[in-house]
Amino acid sequence: MKTLTSNKAFWLLLVICVVTILPFLGLPEYHTKGEPRESIVSYSMLESDNWILPRNNGGEIPYKPPFFHWTIAAVSTLNGGQVTEMTSRLPSAIALISMTLFGFLFFAKRKGTEVALLTAFITLTNFELHRAGANCRVDMVLTALTVCALYCFYRWYEKGLKGIPWLAILLMSLGTLTKGPVGTIIPCLVTGVFLLLRGVNFFRAFLLLSAWAILSLILPFCWYIAAYQQGGEEFLALVMEENFGRMTNTMSYDSCVNPWHYNFVTLFAGYVPWTLLALLSLFSLPYHKFSIQPAAWWKRFTAWIKNMDPVDLFALTSIVATFIFYCIPQSKRSVYLMPIYPFIAYFLAKYLFYLVKKRSKVYGSILAVLSLLLFACFIAVKCGLIPETIFQGRHAQNNINFLHAIQNINGIGSFILIAIPTLLGICWWFYQRKYTLSNRFLYAIVALTMGMYIALDGAYQPPILNSKSVKSVAAEIDRVVPASAGTLYEFIEAGVRSIGDPVHYFEINFYLGNRIGNFYKDRPSEGFLLIGMQDAERNLPEFEKEGYQFERIYQSPKPVLRQTAEIYKFIKK
């Protein structure tokens, strides 16, 4: 890798990103509520030609600003205007690839090609970012915009705070248009703390960053005005709830409420498999006796910060400031911490180059063993050596479905993908026996990690996740109740009773083309009702008192929202 120029490394990285991510985006069907909830907004934009505040899922307004949905709609336009699993996930994948490449260029210019390339590979292969990059959710796009805005701010700092950082301002604008003011707050907060640590006058830093923040809010402000004209008080209440209520812990309903230690746990889990390497390396580090001297510690710490390399300090500030910021609200999710992941990757890359000097090959050997065990488990499942009776409890049926999904994996393409990590694992054993440990081993570890991701994304994961999908149920409903037969409505008791973030048949509605209405609000005189079996038993008698008559015409073969879905033809006298 020492002979690889920055330019060649960039194009190599781009090819690896494209080959390891894009081919597998469309393989899994929607199997959670989050993805179809976002993609249906883009579907509504294309269908209604309303690009400001389209209504979807029976009249609901979107919970997030529109930039992410605009990107899906733009990509889908190239697909003939059809929103699919592939087109809806492509913006997230492009965001991950762009952030990885931008990070490579940033660190290559300041820390050299080797550190930058390994940083990029670690960024690409940690679990949280890899998963988000293949998901139709706003978080990966927001993360990429936030991180790239931080890179631009550092470049502005290198220029002596001269000029206007237009690209950072634009990226913050798009970040705010993706998920709200946090798209501007995080870059300005991190940069402000960094400037203070570098000795910049407080008032100068505050005034400059305030000016850039105001400029970044001009485009989002235009959208908020246009959206308010369409949504009125309903839209304003949602904005206050989702932004100010979430940060001040005054939301009218609980949303992703987690304890203070949640962020530590999710950060540890999100950086798999690299957290395993960090843990194993602790046993090879030298340890020295130390005495408890808080005053001396603080003096050494402040001196360390003062003399720290600017890039290191900027990366450390990005990690600490962002982490503390997201510890404040009760609402905590693993994806909130993703902006710190590329900077952790930088420190981890430097740490790995240090570990090479320790002559330890343990982590690579563990990955090689895991790749071989993965193949052995696949063979055992295909041969029927794992009985269904080992699965017990609440999720037994789901686990049995996963088992059957793996057993049904076929096709030469899938077998080739499954063989990749196995072959890489075998090559590792020969490689580590033949060559002395050097920096090349770090890239061999990256290759092992990517091989496992390729097998999981391309062969194992799609059939497993598709066993959870209700796309087949939607196809049956479309056959039983085609659009020409009449309007299909939904009733979900939990959705009616919820104060915020109501539940809908998101997946079914997407696959039916956003044609499910809201029975509870509309109270139609005739049509078809999609409802869960338990909800029907509890609520249909009450509707019958209002004059409704129901005739069941369909019952789903698998649960939808934890209930057997039923369809009733109804008329109100």
Side-chain angles (χ1 to χ4, degrees):
M1 286 294 176
K2 291 184 179 180
T3 60
L4 197 63
T5 65
S6 177
N7 187 51
K8 291 181 179 179
F10 175 85
W11 292 110
L12 173 64
L13 179 61
L14 174 59
V15 171
I16 290 174
C17 288
V18 170
V19 171
T20 58
I21 296 178
L22 299 189
F24 312 119
L25 290 179
L27 297 181
E29 300 167 357
Y30 291 144
H31 54 280
T32 63
K33 71 174 185 178
E35 288 192 286
R37 180 173 60 181
E38 302 299 341
S39 62
I40 201 68
V41 178
S42 303
Y43 185 99
S44 301
M45 286 179 173
L46 293 169
E47 184 182 45
S48 64
D49 204 28
N50 182 343
W51 297 79
I52 302 299
L53 200 68
R55 297 277 177 171
N56 53 85
N57 293 310
E60 188 175 280
I61 61 175
Y63 272 59
K64 300 292 186 294
F67 178 71
F68 177 65
H69 309 113
W70 289 344
T71 61
I72 296 176
V75 172
S76 300
T77 300
L78 301 177
N79 190 44
Q82 183 179 3
V83 181
T84 65
E85 293 93 344
M86 175 70 179
T87 62
S88 67
R89 292 166 180 154
L90 194 57
S92 294
I94 293 175
L96 174 58
I97 293 172
S98 301
M99 183 182 72
T100 302
L101 295 172
F102 206 143
F104 168 78
L105 295 174
F106 177 84
F107 288 111
K109 180 179 179 181
R110 296 160 180 86
K111 292 298 175 179
T113 301
E114 278 202 324
V115 171
L117 189 58
L118 187 56
T119 298
F121 283 140
I122 295 173
T123 300
L124 193 65
T125 55
N126 69 76
F127 172 73
E128 193 68 70
L129 289 183
H130 183 84
R131 177 179 65 168
N135 247 311
C136 175
R137 302 295 295 268
V138 301
D139 304 289
M140 188 65 249
V141 171
L142 174 66
T143 297
L145 293 169
T146 301
V147 172
C148 292
L150 286 170
Y151 292 148
C152 292
F153 268 135
Y154 186 84
R155 188 171 60 182
W156 171 65
Y157 159 76
E158 288 180 320
K159 295 179 180 179
L161 309 185
K162 296 178 180 178
I164 301 177
W166 288 111
L167 184 54
I169 292 170
L170 175 61
L171 293 171
M172 289 192 298
S173 290
L174 299 180
T176 302
L177 278 170
T178 300
K179 205 175 181 179
V182 71
T184 292
I185 292 173
I186 291 296
C188 289
L189 171 66
V190 170
T191 305
V193 174
F194 170 73
L195 293 179
L196 294 180
L197 292 174
R198 295 298 296 175
V200 176
N201 178 270
F202 172 82
F203 292 104
R204 184 188 182 195
F206 178 79
L207 291 175
L208 285 174
L209 290 172
S210 296
W212 311 152
I214 292 172
L215 287 176
S216 74
L217 294 176
I218 292 176
L219 288 178
F221 185 69
C222 294
W223 173 78
Y224 277 105
I225 291 177
Y228 177 74
Q229 290 176 342
Q230 289 191 22
E233 292 301 319
E234 179 187 5
F235 169 75
L236 184 61
L238 180 62
V239 169
M240 297 298 293
E241 182 95 302
E242 285 295 309
N243 294 286
F244 299 100
R246 191 177 294 275
M247 284 304 303
T248 58
N249 301 325
T250 58
M251 295 185 72
S252 59
Y253 64 96
D254 290 339
S255 175
C256 306
V257 175
N258 286 292
W260 66 269
H261 58 270
Y262 173 83
N263 282 345
F264 292 95
V265 175
T266 192
L267 180 60
F268 182 87
Y271 234 96
V272 168
W274 299 102
T275 44
L276 175 62
L277 184 150
L279 284 176
L280 291 173
S281 69
L282 296 179
F283 296 100
S284 64
L285 296 178
Y287 292 94
H288 305 282
K289 292 183 179 180
F290 66 93
S291 57
I292 300 177
Q293 298 176 323
W297 288 355
W298 177 253
K299 185 177 181 180
R300 285 197 296 268
F301 174 74
T302 54
W304 177 62
I305 291 294
K306 184 178 180 180
N307 299 317
M308 183 181 285
D309 174 84
V311 174
D312 290 5
L313 180 60
F314 181 73
L316 181 62
T317 304
S318 300
I319 295 171
V320 175
T322 306
F323 186 88
I324 293 176
F325 177 84
Y326 280 117
C327 285
I328 297 173
Q330 292 178 338
S331 178
K332 297 178 179 68
R333 292 181 61 218
S334 60
V335 292
Y336 293 171
L337 298 178
M338 290 198 305
I340 73 177
Y341 278 52
F343 300 103
I344 293 177
Y346 163 66
F347 285 115
L348 191 54
K350 294 180 65 176
Y351 181 57
L352 291 181
F353 282 115
Y354 164 77
L355 288 179
V356 167
K357 302 175 183 179
K358 297 297 179 181
R359 304 296 179 185
S360 175
K361 304 176 183 178
V362 174
Y363 178 69
S365 300
I366 290 176
L367 283 184
V369 170
L370 290 176
S371 66
L372 297 176
L373 286 176
L374 185 64
F375 181 73
C377 291
F378 172 70
I379 296 300
V381 173
K382 286 290 287 184
C383 295
L385 301 179
I386 301 179
E388 297 180 3
T389 53
I390 67 171
F391 300 115
Q392 303 292 332
R394 176 181 175 184
H395 301 291
Q397 188 56 53
N398 283 339
N399 293 328
I400 291 172
N401 293 339
F402 297 162
L403 185 68
H404 291 165
I406 296 176
Q407 287 176 339
N408 293 330
I409 292 177
N410 287 300
I412 186 65
S414 295
F415 292 147
I416 290 175
L417 295 177
I418 289 171
I420 288 177
T422 309
L423 295 175
L424 289 174
I426 294 172
C427 290
W428 166 268
W429 288 107
F430 288 101
Y431 186 78
Q432 60 94 18
R433 288 168 63 90
K434 184 177 180 180
Y435 294 100
T436 304
L437 189 65
S438 65
N439 290 351
R440 290 178 298 177
F441 274 79
L442 299 179
Y443 299 101
I445 290 174
V446 170
L448 275 171
T449 305
M450 286 187 170
M452 296 184 71
Y453 272 125
I454 288 172
L456 291 171
D457 293 345
Y460 293 114
Q461 187 171 264
I464 291 175
L465 297 181
N466 290 348
S467 69
K468 298 168 58 179
S469 172
V470 295
K471 185 176 182 178
S472 59
V473 175
E476 292 181 2
I477 292 175
D478 194 41
R479 176 181 56 82
V480 175
V481 186
S484 58
T487 305
L488 178 64
Y489 299 88
E490 69 170 18
F491 177 86
I492 304 173
E493 185 176 339
V496 171
R497 292 181 177 179
S498 64
I499 300 175
D501 195 14
V503 182
H504 296 286
Y505 288 108
F506 292 109
E507 296 165 80
I508 292 179
N509 190 36
F510 172 82
Y511 286 121
L512 290 180
N514 192 32
R515 65 181 180 92
I516 298 181
N518 191 315
F519 180 86
Y520 187 77
K521 290 182 178 179
D522 297 346
R523 284 299 203 275
S525 58
E526 63 178 355
F528 299 88
L529 177 64
L530 173 62
I531 187 172
M533 180 184 291
Q534 287 77 24
D535 284 352
E537 293 174 355
R538 287 190 296 265
N539 294 279
L540 291 192
E542 296 299 318
F543 294 140
E544 288 172 348
K545 293 178 181 178
E546 299 178 18
Y548 284 100
Q549 293 181 346
F550 297 94
E551 176 189 358
R552 190 175 68 187
I553 60 175
Y554 173 77
Q555 195 172 56
S556 67
K558 61 189 300 184
V560 182
L561 296 180
R562 300 182 181 179
Q563 297 186 42
T564 298
E566 299 179 331
I567 292 183
Y568 290 82
K569 184 177 181 179
F570 67 85
I571 187 170
K572 184 177 183 181
K573 292 186 177 181

